[in-house]
Amino acid sequence: MIQRAGDAVTGSGGVAAVAKENLLLRARDLRDDLGRWRRHLHAHPELSGQETETAAYIAAELGAMGLAPRLPQPNAVVAEIGADPDGPTIALRADIDALPIAEETGLPFSSRRPGVMHACGHDGHAAVLLGVARILTARADRLRGRARLIFQPAEEVPPGGARELISAGVLGGVSAVIGLHLWCPLPTGKAIVVSGPAWAAADRFRAVIHGRGGHGAKPQEAVDALEAACRCVVALQSIVSRAINPLDAAVVTVGTLHAGEAFNIVADAAVLEGTVRAFDEDVRRLIKGRIAEVLAHTAAAAGARAELDYVDGYPVLRNDAKVAEVMRQAAGRYLGEKAVGDGPREMAADDFARYAECVPGCYMSLGATAAGRPGYPNHHPHFTLDEDALPVGAAILAETALHLMQRRA
Ligand code: NI
């Protein structure tokens, strides 16, 4: 089945050779190592931008496999496998940073750093990519191309770690990029591979509403920044409901609003912050423009003035149709075709999007919630990933990379 479909995608006779070996069996042999890597990283989480111990650990493990990892920066690791100069180079990316969350799982290998936790599964992503390294190094002399493993820092905090690595040339000569996110509460054994826009663009904004303070008893002599800010929050909600095509998905969320010092004083200023999500760059631009207009005019209507700071975050993560098809086939081989969905898309964002802007790519969501477990979502203090998902992820990534290497331009 996989051979037929693979041939159709790649147009290469070499696919059959790739598919002979069951990489999931191979990955399951690595279960102890996968668990060991993941648990070490879980116990020693590091925040975005500070992943130097994490990078050193990963580099040491890769070195022990006979690879020659390099650190383009102290908290990032890149390693290359295979030497075929004529074959394509396939990049595989794992993010390695943790979150400022106090862990409450009670696991024996819980975070040893108070207030820092691998609550988004990036410990698992790094372990999966180390597993891929094992699988591919065992057949390095037979590879029909090269695999470039990218262990990337700072995914959680825009502008994200991908941008700097790309600027440093990490995608040089790369013909496709792949990666995965372990996802809860998606059950272990399920995967989602979306063709086209898969994860949303995410921006943030901060607005200061300037009024004029005064006595609470004499509003006519003041400009109430708090009241103006409230109008702004309500007016911003009209953007998605009135300005966006109902068939386009979009979010405008105001997450914070701070104003005022005392109950009987008219607030001089108010600060609100929010996030924007969209799957289409035109929709994203439209929202950005409307936010500026709505804030300016709504504040003006209240006699106040709005000062907007809008920060472009991660772009839309767009999966390439052909790469997605190869990945879907690989996932289907090990999970069964029916276990691989083509949705739903994610309103969350990931800076894998930056790689996929440069070269054809695909980012898969892989279920990592054990049957019967509560399945706390990513970023929750009780978040726990099912380690049975680790060999599955390694097998699918390795298989996808091998198939992509069969493709000749
Ligand atoms: Ni994440």
Side-chain angles (χ1 to χ4, degrees):
M1 176 193 70
I2 191 79
Q3 295 175 16
R4 227 175 25 244
D7 280 345
V9 171
T10 63
S12 162
V15 173
V18 171
K20 269 182 194 163
E21 192 177 347
N22 186 325
L23 297 181
L24 184 54
L25 295 178
R26 174 86 184 95
R28 284 191 176 137
D29 287 342
L30 302 175
R31 191 192 299 262
D32 288 350
D33 284 328
L34 288 164
R36 176 172 62 83
W37 293 323
R38 182 257 166 163
R39 290 178 185 206
H40 175 90
L41 294 171
H42 191 87
H44 303 89
E46 291 177 295
L47 290 174
S48 310
Q50 303 173 16
E51 309 89 332
T52 50
E53 287 177 26
T54 303
Y57 176 80
I58 289 167
E61 292 296 325
L62 292 168
M65 297 178 203
L67 295 170
R70 59 188 180 85
L71 281 69
Q73 53 203 54
N75 56 352
V77 186
V78 178
E80 200 128 331
I81 306 169
D84 181 351
D86 301 322
T89 299
I90 310 301
L92 299 97
R93 174 273 209 172
D95 44 9
I96 61 173
D97 52 331
L99 286 158
I101 293 176
E103 179 159 1
E104 297 175 16
T105 63
L107 290 168
F109 51 90
S110 285
S111 170
R112 296 183 193 171
R113 287 203 172 89
V116 185
M117 176 188 177
H118 267 297
C120 198
H122 299 188
D123 49 344
H125 300 172
V128 163
L129 202 51
L130 285 169
V132 172
R134 270 284 179 77
I135 293 169
L136 295 184
T137 47
R139 52 189 304 146
D141 55 340
R142 286 173 285 153
L143 294 182
R144 299 184 55 171
R146 278 168 293 182
R148 185 172 301 159
L149 311 182
I150 302 169
F151 295 86
Q152 178 215 300
E155 187 282 325
E156 296 286 0
V157 181
R163 197 166 68 172
E164 206 170 324
L165 286 176
I166 293 168
S167 299
V170 82
L171 288 181
V174 167
S175 58
V177 59
I178 56 175
L180 62 78
H181 206 304
L182 296 164
W183 206 240
C184 296
L186 191 66
T188 304
K190 301 260 188 217
I192 297 170
V193 181
V194 178
S195 183
W199 291 49
D203 299 334
R204 66 183 291 175
F205 61 91
R206 180 177 186 273
V208 182
I209 310 299
H210 298 280
R212 191 172 63 248
H215 197 297
K218 298 180 179 178
Q220 77 280 9
E221 295 175 2
V223 174
D224 189 346
L226 190 156
E227 190 265 352
C230 290
R231 289 199 218 181
C232 287
V233 172
V234 174
L236 287 172
Q237 292 310 310
S238 70
I239 296 174
V240 172
S241 67
R242 300 291 86 187
I244 303 297
N245 184 331
L247 298 176
D248 289 324
V251 175
V252 176
T253 289
V254 178
T256 72
L257 172 58
H258 297 288
E261 300 292 341
F263 78 98
N264 57 355
I265 299 174
V266 173
D268 184 58
V271 179
L272 58 89
E273 294 174 299
T275 184
V276 172
R277 309 288 164 121
F279 281 109
D280 181 283
E281 291 298 334
D282 288 340
V283 172
R284 185 187 187 192
R285 268 191 297 278
L286 190 151
I287 293 175
K288 180 178 180 176
R290 288 297 295 155
I291 284 178
E293 290 167 2
V294 165
L295 287 175
H297 293 292
T298 306
R305 181 173 62 83
E307 185 185 339
L308 173 64
D309 180 20
Y310 191 101
V311 181
D312 291 336
Y314 299 157
V316 177
L317 196 167
R318 190 177 296 277
N319 285 339
D320 176 81
K322 287 180 182 163
V323 179
E325 184 55 31
V326 175
M327 203 160 192
R328 188 176 294 120
Q329 295 287 341
R333 180 178 184 203
Y334 295 123
L335 300 176
E337 275 178 27
K338 287 190 178 147
V340 185
D342 56 5
R345 303 185 293 177
E346 271 301 332
M347 270 300 175
D350 193 297
D351 76 342
F352 182 89
R354 296 205 194 277
Y355 302 99
E357 272 190 328
C358 300
V359 295
C362 184
Y363 202 51
M364 170 180 66
S365 300
L366 185 66
T369 304
R373 296 297 297 269
Y376 293 103
N378 297 57
H379 292 213
H380 191 283
H382 285 280
F383 173 81
T384 308
L385 63 83
D386 178 10
E387 290 184 352
D388 282 349
L390 302 179
V392 176
I396 294 173
L397 284 185
E399 174 113 2
T400 305
L402 291 174
H403 275 268
L404 291 169
M405 283 178 203
Q406 305 294 320
R407 304 205 304 184
R408 293 291 195 273

